[in-house]
Each structure stands twice: as C-alpha cells, then as structure tokens.
Amino acid sequence: MQDWIVRYERSLAGLVTCIGASVWFSSAAHAFDLARSYTLTIWELIAAAGILAAFFVSVLIWIYSAHRRLKLRQRRRAKFASSALNNMPHGIVMVDARRRMVFCNDRYLEIYRLSRSELRNRMPFSEVLALRKARGTFDGDPYVEARPGEAPDNYIRDIDDGRAIKVSRRWLPGGGFITVHEDFSEQRTLSRQLATTKSFLESVIDNIPVCVAVKNIDDGRYVLANRAFEQFSRFARRKIVGHRAEEIFTPQSAKAVVQADEEAIASPSGDLSMEVVVERGSQRRVLGARRVVARDETGDPKFLITLFEDVTEQRGLSKEVEETKKFLELVLDHIPTSVAVKRVDDRKYVLVNRHAEKFMGRSRQQMIGQRIENFDSKDRATFINHRDSTAIRMKGEVISEEYPVPSEAGLRLYMSRRVAILDDKGEPQYLIQTNEDVTDRRQTESRMAHMAYHDGLTDLPNRVAFVQALSQMIDACAGSDEFAVLSIDLDRFKEVNDVFGHEVGDKLLVEVSRRIQLAAQGAVVARLGGDEFGLIIDGVQPAAGKALAERLIETMQTEFVIDQKIIHIGVTAGVALFPHNGSVPAALLANADVALFRAKAQARGSVCVFEAEMDQQIRDRRAMHHELSQAIKNGELTLNYQPLAKIGKDVVGFEALVRWNHPTRGMVSPGVFIPLAEESGLIVEMGQWILQAACREAASWPRPLQIAVNLSPVQFLHGDLVSLVHSILLETGLSPGRLELEITEGVLIGDFDRSLALLRRLKALGVRIAMDDFGSGYSSLSYLQSFPFDKIKIDREFVMNLGRNAQSAAIIRAVIGLGHGLDVPIVAEGVETQEQLAFLASESCDQVQGYFIGKPAPIQQYAELVGHSRGTGGIRRIS
C-alpha cells in the first residue's frame, strides 16, 4: 500500500514539473519573440521570470500539502485495520513471499504467550516459531513449518499446557500466506463429551428390554433399532436401519405397521398406544406399541419413535386370568363356609357368597351395597359393628370367636373369624368375615382327645407311644436280654396316592396295618408317619428280627383289593439291635432308619441289619457332598452333548449332560452325584452353571441348533428360576427359541399351581418346554391337559424293552398317537439298535436320541455338526 502511494506521488510531481516546464519554455519563447519584435527591456524579462518562479513555488506547495493529507489518511486507515484485527477473537498472522512476518494481532500473541517487544518488523517467520517453541507452544521444525507444502493447511495442534489450537492457512497470490489460529480446547472437550453422551445413550437404548425403533417420517426408513428389535424381528440391525417396513415384515404385517404409523402422525397429541398383529415366520404375534412423533424446531413431524413388545403370551394370560377370576368366584360361592367382605370406610358389603346368604337369611342383592343397620336389628347391628371395629384396629390380625346360633336342629356352634385387609400404605381397606359351623368338629375333637397316642387312621400307636414303649423295653431288657427295632417303609405307596387318590391310599394303609399286626404275632407295632411303620420284637437276635421282616415282606406280596382296584406294593425293612446298635430310643430308631436307607439303596423289598460300617458310608456320603460343592467352584464339572435327530433328516439339536471328573475318584456317575445334589440343594447352583455353560456354548454355534437342558424339581422350589433363565439368555445372547428346558412330572407334583405358573412364565420368555421321561409316572396325562408342552420324550425304558415284550411297543405306539393328536412332537430316548429305530420310524416317531444316533461327548467331537470346520464325526445319519 505504501509503495503504491509513493509511486503515485512521484508520478504527480513529474506531471506538474512537465507542465511547468512547458509553460516556462512557451513563455520564454514568447518573450524572446517580443524582444526581437518589440525590443523589450531587461526589466520586462526579469518581471516575467519572477512570475514563472512564483508559479513553480505555488505548484510545489500544493504538491506537498496533498502528499501530507494522503499520508494522514493512510495512517488512519492502517490504525483502523490494526485495531479491527487486534480485536478479533482469533489469532492472525500475515507472512510475505520472503517468509517474513509483516503482521500479527494481539490474540496471536496471547494464544502463544508472546509479547510485542520480542518481535521485530518483518521478522523471519521461522524465528517467530522458534520463540513459540521456547515457550512450549510449538513442537515442530520452524524451518519446515514456514515452507510451502511442508505442513498441512488445516490442522489442530496440541500444546504443552493442554490446549488445542485449530490452525487454518490461506496462500496469497504473491507467494505469502495468512494463518488464522483459534483456541479449540473447549470445542474439543464438548465434542468428546457429546461423543461419550451419544455412546451412553445408544448403550442405554440398546439395553432397554422392549423393542425401540425410530423412523424418518419423510421416507419411512428406519434410522434406529435396538437389540430387542433385532431379536424380535430376527434380522440383523444392518437389515433394519435404512429400510422400510415393507422390506422387513410380510406385506400384510407391513400394511398394519404403516397404518398404525399414519394414525400416530395424524393424531392431535402425536402420542398413540395401540396393538398391532404382525406375522413372524409362521406365527402371528400381538405387539403392544406406543408411538410418539418427534417434531423439529418449526413444529413439523420429523421422526416417529416406536416402543413395542410382544404381548401375545400376556394376552393369553389375561384371558386365562379372567377365566381364573370367574373360576375363583365360582369356587368362593361353593365354599361350605359363610364369607362376607365389607369396605372399611363405609362398612358396606361388597361380596357375599351363597353360604353367607343362608347364614344371614337374606339374598346378596339385599346385602351388597348396604350396611348391616339397613337390614338387621339394632342390637345385632351394634354387636357386629363393635366386633368389626376391633378387627379393624388389629390391622391384619385374625380375630376368632365362637358363639352358639339357634337353628331348626337346635343350637349350633359357629366359629367367626374377622381379618382386615390392608392397602399399600398399611391401612385397613376391606374386612373379611367368615362364619363356620364347627359343631361337628368340636364334637370330633372331644372324641379324639383320648387318641393322643394313637394314629387316627389305622388306630395303631403313633410315634410318641412307640418311643415310650421303646424306653420301657430298654429298661426291661437292660443288662440281660436283647431285642430288635424294625423300621419298615412301603414301596410304591406314593404312586398309589398319585394314581388312585388319597382316599384309596388311606384305605390301603388300614389294610396294611391289619396285615402287619397279623404278621407281628404279638410284637409292638406303630405307625410312625406316612407309610413308615415301626416294630419292636424280642427273642434271639438278629434271627428273630430278620424272621419278622421276612414275614412282613411275604405277607405284602399278596395283592390288595381296594374299592375294586388291584394294588401291588412291597415292604423294605431296616433292623437295629439292642444293645449292640444303641441303648437309647433315639439311637436305635436312627440306626434302624440308616439300615432302611441301605436296604432301599440295595433293592426294594429287602432287609438290612445295621452294621457299624454304615456310619462310615454316611460319612463318605457327607464327604462327597462337600467335594461336590467344591467341584462346582473348582471347575471339575464338564458338559457332554448328545445329538437329537429327526427320522429321515440330520441332527436338529443336542442335550447337555453334566459330568464330574473327580481329581481322585475319577469320573463319578451322574446317577451318584445328581441325586446327592438334589437331596442337598446343590442342584440349584449346579443347574445354574449347566444352564449358563450350555447356552454360552450353543450361542457360539454357527448353526442355530436346539440346546436341551434338564431342570430338577428342586430348582423350581428355590430362587427366581424365570429371572435366572431370562438373565442367562440376555448374557449369552442365545435366542430363546433355541433353548429347550426338559422337566419331569416331579416338577408338577407338590405345589402344582406354583409350578404351572412358573412354566407359563418360562414359556412367555420364548423358550420351549419338554416333558421328559413320559410314561414313567402316573399323572402325565393330566399334566398334558394342564400345560401346552412343546415336546414329549418317551422314557428310555419303553424303547429298551422293544422286542422283549409287546406292552412296550403298544405303549410307544399309543404315546406317539397321543402326541400327534395333540400336535406335539414325540422324541424316543434310549435308541440303541437298528431294530428299535426301524420300529420308531414305522410308527412315525418325530425324533430320536440314543447311543445308536450318537453318544454323549464333548462338543468338539460334533464340531462339524454345529457348523465349525473341525470334528471327528461320531454320529450316524438317520434314514
């Protein structure tokens, strides 16, 4: 800029000089002409020269003034530009073509901790970078940085104090450049925080247990899908994001989804909850969904957020709950006890059953919605309200009282019970009152008072009386005589109860008691509880005790006929001798029980006399229990896998079977340690490990084969089994549909309702439930009616007996027909020969399992079958 101004001034001065010279020469020439023409005097010439001189001086003065004004304007403009650049938020540096710094603003000095006093006019830019390097704000080569092409034009430089500086360079046409320096530290921190927040939110959305999907309203393509959506749709996320519903669902399902989306977008609130039916494979699933419209800053719909979950099973359960409610109301109406319920706040009746109508002498229409004062006498209402108030004050405690009530048959004794039902805050909300006729019960109790030492069913002495008799026998025989204590147990009695009911079981116990008394021939006989009896017999021991036990076994071999039903049971006996095996009742009974336990282990229907080494066996059993608990922690348990195949096709899955490789005992049979684990409760911890290991292994298979895991009845009684299965599926990533849980009818024996509820919750997770060892019990058919099993496995005993007796073939044929009628696949276990397989194939059995197909082995042996590249075979193709 300054060079241009100087050149302009010089040009202007030259132009003025030329003009002045031209005037002077013109004037001079004219003067000489006049001198010649008119013979001017010298004074006239001097006057003309003075005029010319004055003119030149005036021109010079004008040029000087103009130059001065121009320089003043230049300084003002430079000062304004410098002030503007120095107040910019970014550092600015200008470098000329010779790599000299011609300008830098104050922000540049502030960013790199420099001062004006350290800089010179037109200082080489490499020296400026060297100063920055000394301050720790530049870590490169100053000479390389200043050369064109050696450093990038846009980059972010981290300096020692933790700041990040963004540098942008622009090259000028003349060869110089301008660089802009911006403190990027805060932006980088915000960017990193934004990235962390984005990752966190994505992780949260991905772990929400319901399906989450977001689609762009403009083009209908999904822009987000979480893991639950992947699992439900059975599509990888890359096949969902960027695609429309028509590309994911079937045409009919896609139409339903799009229609629901349009209704949500059109709704005034932009928030719509509804259910949609979609098809997934061959299944129709009901989705409970909520759709929310996300709008941009102008209020226009931008995205549609959908949260949904599969509620197919829940809808089925809702229907079942409604049916259960009706059923409970029906049951309540038929309870042979008066039941009435009031609201605490207004004391009005809200529920009255049929017996309450009879007890109160009024219909439920007359009582529901009314207070007691509205339909009963004042005295009676006052009494009832007083008793109600007492029960309400007790907040949940049962208030019981008995009082006589006149009736056509005379006075009847009634038991009245009141209890307040509390709300969530612990305050009384409802009051339940029952009135039960206990006249007959009290009479019975009076008659039974004398039966404290006798069994009410068999009229035999009970345990208390037996212990007293045993104590008296010990006192009578001390120091001289000996006697034997027998502990006997009925074989197969539990099955009788399960098949024919407890009424038949009770009648059987009465008949058994009669036979025992006949065989005892005067010995002390007692019913100790359930199907356990105790006997005391004197004489030469152990001969007398063993002879009595043999007589008992023999007398039970004759069949029983109860209510026209033929029943076969047996007896197993344990014998303890006085004084050799104990000198107090507790020791003798305990040792007789130990001998009974040994007899059961050896063979049903046998007799065992207590021996001292049995104590050692009990200790060994306890030691094995301890070692088993350590085996779970020490990793001594492993899993073998036995293939399961369709007839005429390849393997469709594997069953996981646990094995124990003891460090000193070697391989321990599952028939030994699994019953021990179930008795001790270790099966719960072991079962969790088996389930985790099997699911983790199956999830690693390239082929989506089924994995079957056995569940023990004990696992249904301890802990939250459903939550455990759900958490393992989430942890391992195994699809619920690939997991098959095998149970025996032992799971449903006992607390049937609770076990059935657990099975339904497990099935709601999407896992498959199989009935194992079908036909080995007595209640399997009733269980098939109560729960929709996904598979039935015929007990191996029937398969192994094929060819030996016709009954097994008939049973198998019937079970297969039953399964096909219920549309439930049938699996035959224990297939070991070609003949067995051929029979099953001819009867259209669905699947088979056994040594003939493949033995249980580590999964490496079946690597090729699960989709891995290596394997040793070990399986026979089914044809």
Side-chain angles (χ1 to χ4, degrees):
M1 178 68 76
Q2 291 176 347
D3 292 343
W4 180 84
I5 294 171
V6 171
R7 289 196 297 270
Y8 169 78
E9 290 174 349
R10 289 175 181 173
S11 300
L12 181 61
L15 177 62
V16 172
T17 303
C18 291
I19 294 172
S22 175
V23 172
W24 185 84
F25 283 119
S26 177
S27 299
H30 180 67
F32 284 119
D33 287 342
L34 289 175
R36 287 193 300 267
S37 303
Y38 304 104
T39 315
L40 296 177
T41 65
I42 190 67
W43 294 107
E44 290 174 335
L45 292 173
I46 292 171
I51 292 171
L52 288 174
F55 173 77
F56 282 130
V57 170
S58 298
V59 170
L60 290 175
I61 291 172
W62 179 84
I63 291 172
Y64 174 76
S65 298
H67 177 64
R68 187 174 181 181
R69 286 193 299 272
L70 185 62
K71 291 185 68 175
L72 182 60
R73 285 196 298 270
Q74 177 186 356
R75 290 193 191 98
R76 288 175 179 170
R77 284 195 298 269
K79 185 176 182 181
F80 174 78
S82 177
S83 176
L85 292 175
N86 280 324
N87 283 280
M88 290 186 68
H90 306 323
I92 297 177
V93 174
M94 299 181 184
V95 180
D96 62 14
R98 298 175 61 184
R99 302 300 177 262
R100 296 175 302 177
M101 185 177 72
V102 296
F103 175 81
C104 72
N105 67 350
D106 294 342
R107 179 57 178 158
Y108 179 83
L109 301 177
E110 180 185 348
I111 289 175
Y112 296 115
R113 300 200 296 270
L114 300 175
S115 64
R116 290 283 180 190
S117 61
E118 297 176 294
L119 305 179
R120 306 189 308 276
N121 186 28
R122 299 187 180 277
M123 183 177 183
F125 190 54
S126 59
E127 294 184 16
V128 178
L129 295 177
L131 284 175
R132 281 176 51 191
K133 191 166 187 177
R135 297 289 192 278
T137 60
F138 180 75
D139 58 358
D141 187 336
Y143 299 98
V144 173
E145 183 78 11
R147 291 198 295 267
E150 296 291 343
D153 291 337
N154 295 281
Y155 59 90
I156 295 176
R157 185 180 298 280
D158 295 313
I159 57 180
D160 292 347
D161 59 4
R163 291 180 297 155
I165 308 301
K166 183 179 180 182
V167 180
S168 300
R169 175 158 46 187
R170 295 293 180 270
W171 293 92
L172 300 176
F177 60 84
I178 299 175
T179 58
V180 178
H181 301 254
E182 178 185 359
D183 191 336
F184 201 66
S185 306
E186 185 175 353
Q187 291 92 320
R188 174 177 281 187
T189 301
L190 291 175
S191 177
R192 289 174 177 171
Q193 290 176 349
L194 178 62
T196 301
T197 303
K198 180 175 179 291
S199 176
F200 169 73
L201 292 176
E202 288 177 348
S203 176
V204 169
I205 292 174
D206 218 29
N207 286 279
I208 293 176
V210 299
C211 301
V212 179
V214 180
K215 67 164 56 175
N216 192 319
I217 292 178
D218 293 336
D219 58 11
R221 297 182 184 276
Y222 288 99
V223 297
L224 182 146
N226 71 342
R227 184 183 303 150
F229 192 2
E230 283 186 294
Q231 294 174 346
F232 171 78
S233 65
R234 298 174 181 172
F235 283 107
R237 198 167 311 189
R238 57 185 172 79
K239 294 186 178 180
I240 300 174
V241 174
H243 295 79
R244 297 187 180 90
E246 296 87 344
E247 302 172 75
I248 300 173
F249 300 103
T250 62
Q252 185 176 356
S253 300
K255 182 179 179 181
V257 171
V258 171
Q259 182 179 351
D261 293 345
E262 292 173 350
E263 291 180 13
I265 296 171
S267 66
S269 63
D271 188 339
L272 183 65
S273 297
M274 63 186 305
E275 290 185 353
V276 179
V277 178
V278 300
E279 296 176 353
R280 187 182 66 180
S282 59
Q283 297 178 326
R284 291 172 60 85
R285 312 299 296 178
V286 180
L287 305 182
R290 180 181 179 185
R291 288 169 166 80
V292 180
V293 177
R295 303 179 183 273
D296 58 17
E297 62 275 4
T298 63
D300 294 328
K302 187 66 176 176
F303 298 104
L304 182 64
I305 304 170
T306 305
L307 290 84
F308 67 91
E309 60 181 332
D310 190 342
V311 296
T312 308
E313 281 75 18
Q314 289 89 321
R315 289 296 166 269
L317 289 175
S318 298
K319 182 178 179 181
E320 187 175 336
V321 167
E322 184 63 28
E323 293 175 352
T324 302
K325 179 183 176 183
K326 293 180 180 178
F327 169 74
L328 291 177
E329 290 175 349
L330 182 64
V331 170
L332 183 66
D333 220 27
H334 287 80
I335 291 177
T337 300
S338 167
V339 179
V341 182
K342 298 178 181 179
R343 276 195 300 266
V344 169
D345 54 0
D346 57 10
R347 304 289 179 90
K348 293 182 178 180
Y349 287 93
V350 295
L351 186 148
V352 177
N353 75 343
R354 184 182 302 170
H355 282 270
E357 289 181 296
K358 183 178 179 181
F359 178 77
M360 301 290 287
R362 290 169 177 81
S363 68
R364 67 188 70 188
Q365 289 79 11
Q366 292 176 310
M367 290 185 286
I368 290 179
Q370 301 293 324
R371 295 168 56 90
I372 185 69
E373 298 94 324
N374 299 133
F375 57 81
D376 214 331
S377 66
K378 181 178 179 181
D379 292 341
R380 181 172 170 80
T382 301
F383 173 77
I384 291 175
N385 284 331
H386 174 72
R387 303 308 299 157
D388 288 349
S389 298
T390 302
I392 292 170
R393 286 195 300 270
M394 298 304 291
K395 288 189 174 182
E397 292 188 20
V398 178
I399 304 297
S400 301
E401 58 183 345
E402 295 182 4
Y403 54 87
V405 175
S407 71
E408 296 179 356
L411 285 176
R412 303 293 294 179
L413 188 63
Y414 274 84
M415 165 71 74
S416 175
R417 295 185 180 89
R418 289 176 171 84
V419 61
I421 304 301
L422 308 182
D423 59 18
D424 295 338
K425 298 179 181 179
E427 295 300 322
Q429 185 175 13
Y430 296 101
L431 180 68
I432 300 177
Q433 180 183 2
T434 63
N435 293 282
E436 181 183 4
D437 188 343
V438 295
T439 307
D440 297 336
R441 183 194 307 170
R442 293 293 177 259
Q443 292 173 352
T444 302
E445 289 174 355
S446 177
R447 290 193 300 268
M448 293 180 62
H450 71 283
M451 298 179 63
Y453 293 96
H454 291 80
D455 175 54
L457 178 64
T458 63
D459 204 33
L460 290 175
N462 58 16
R463 181 179 288 273
V464 175
F466 186 75
V467 170
Q468 288 185 353
L470 188 55
S471 297
Q472 295 169 0
M473 196 71 172
I474 290 172
D475 293 338
C477 297
S480 57
D481 297 329
E482 58 183 358
F483 63 88
V485 176
L486 278 69
S487 178
I488 67 173
D489 196 30
L490 303 184
D491 301 333
R492 298 182 298 280
F493 177 73
K494 185 177 182 303
E495 286 85 342
V496 173
N497 269 338
D498 291 339
V499 175
F500 302 112
H502 291 282
E503 183 178 357
V504 173
D506 290 346
K507 292 180 179 180
L508 176 63
L509 286 173
V510 172
E511 184 61 25
V512 166
S513 301
R514 187 187 64 80
R515 290 194 187 183
I516 291 176
Q517 287 178 300
L518 290 175
Q521 298 177 355
V524 177
V525 181
R527 183 188 177 202
L528 303 182
D531 59 345
E532 182 183 358
F533 295 83
L535 294 92
I536 305 173
I537 185 167
D538 56 4
V540 178
Q541 303 300 338
K546 293 178 69 175
L548 175 56
E550 294 293 345
R551 289 199 304 274
L552 292 173
I553 293 173
E554 182 179 359
T555 193
M556 296 301 167
Q557 290 177 351
T558 304
E559 63 186 23
F560 292 84
V561 180
I562 307 294
D563 292 345
Q564 300 180 348
K565 298 176 178 64
I566 298 176
I567 299 174
H568 294 272
I569 63 170
V571 167
T572 304
V575 181
L577 306 178
F578 173 86
H580 312 291
N581 304 140
S583 57
V584 295
L588 287 169
L589 275 173
N591 290 336
D593 287 340
V594 170
L596 174 62
F597 181 80
R598 167 58 69 84
K600 287 182 177 181
Q602 289 177 345
R604 298 280 180 172
S606 62
V607 181
C608 184
V609 179
F610 179 81
E611 297 176 359
E613 59 267 21
M614 292 182 183
D615 277 341
Q616 181 62 42
Q617 292 169 357
I618 295 297
R619 286 193 291 271
D620 290 343
R621 187 174 179 84
R622 290 172 181 168
M624 181 173 285
H625 169 263
H626 174 73
E627 292 168 355
L628 182 58
S629 66
Q630 295 302 311
I632 300 173
K633 299 181 179 68
N634 297 338
E636 297 173 13
L637 299 181
T638 59
L639 289 183
N640 281 359
Y641 296 84
Q642 187 172 28
L644 179 70
K646 283 188 176 181
I647 294 181
K649 296 184 180 180
D650 291 331
V651 168
V652 295
F654 288 86
E655 180 177 358
L657 302 170
V658 66
R659 296 293 184 263
W660 181 13
N661 189 4
H662 193 281
T664 57
R665 301 176 190 263
M667 295 301 295
V668 182
S669 170
V672 173
F673 71 83
I674 288 182
L676 179 61
E678 289 182 326
E679 291 174 11
S680 62
L682 286 174
I683 193 67
V684 176
E685 183 181 357
M686 183 188 298
Q688 179 177 347
W689 177 87
I690 294 170
L691 189 60
Q692 282 178 323
C695 289
R696 188 180 300 110
E697 173 61 39
S700 70
W701 298 343
R703 293 185 61 195
L705 301 177
Q706 295 287 129
I707 181 68
V709 178
N710 290 281
L711 291 183
S712 166
V714 181
Q715 290 175 266
F716 277 72
L717 302 176
H718 298 83
D720 191 344
L721 180 61
V722 179
S723 295
L724 173 64
V725 173
H726 188 206
S727 63
I728 290 176
L729 289 172
L730 292 177
E731 173 192 341
T732 60
L734 181 69
S735 172
R738 293 179 57 196
L739 177 60
E740 185 174 280
L741 301 177
E742 297 186 1
I743 68 164
T744 62
E745 65 182 37
V747 168
L748 297 168
I749 294 175
D751 193 344
F752 176 78
D753 292 335
R754 179 179 181 276
S755 299
L756 192 62
L758 285 175
L759 287 177
R760 286 173 175 156
R761 290 175 58 198
L762 286 170
K763 194 171 178 66
L765 293 178
V767 302
R768 298 166 60 83
I769 308 296
M771 167 68 82
D772 197 12
D773 297 338
F774 184 81
S776 61
Y778 295 88
S779 305
S780 301
L781 292 178
S782 63
Y783 299 146
L784 290 181
Q785 184 180 12
S786 302
F787 183 78
F789 287 95
D790 296 294
K791 186 180 291 184
I792 296 174
K793 302 187 76 173
I794 302 175
D795 187 65
R796 67 182 65 248
E797 293 297 327
F798 297 111
V799 178
M800 293 174 63
N801 285 326
L802 283 174
R804 301 176 186 173
N805 58 66
Q807 291 86 347
S808 293
I811 291 173
I812 292 175
R813 188 178 295 111
V815 173
I816 293 174
L818 175 66
H820 290 170
L822 296 174
D823 196 21
V824 178
I826 301 296
V827 182
E829 298 183 287
V831 179
E832 298 184 358
T833 66
Q834 178 63 48
E835 291 75 15
Q836 294 170 349
L837 180 61
F839 173 80
L840 294 168
S842 67
E843 295 298 330
S844 300
C845 183
D846 299 290
Q847 299 175 8
V848 290
Q849 179 181 354
Y851 278 25
F852 188 72
I853 314 304
K855 296 182 178 181
I859 196 60
Q860 291 80 4
Q861 184 168 333
Y862 300 114
E864 186 175 351
L865 291 175
V866 300
H868 295 307
S869 58
R870 54 189 176 85
T872 59
I875 184 166
R876 188 187 306 272
R877 181 175 176 85
I878 307 304
S879 58

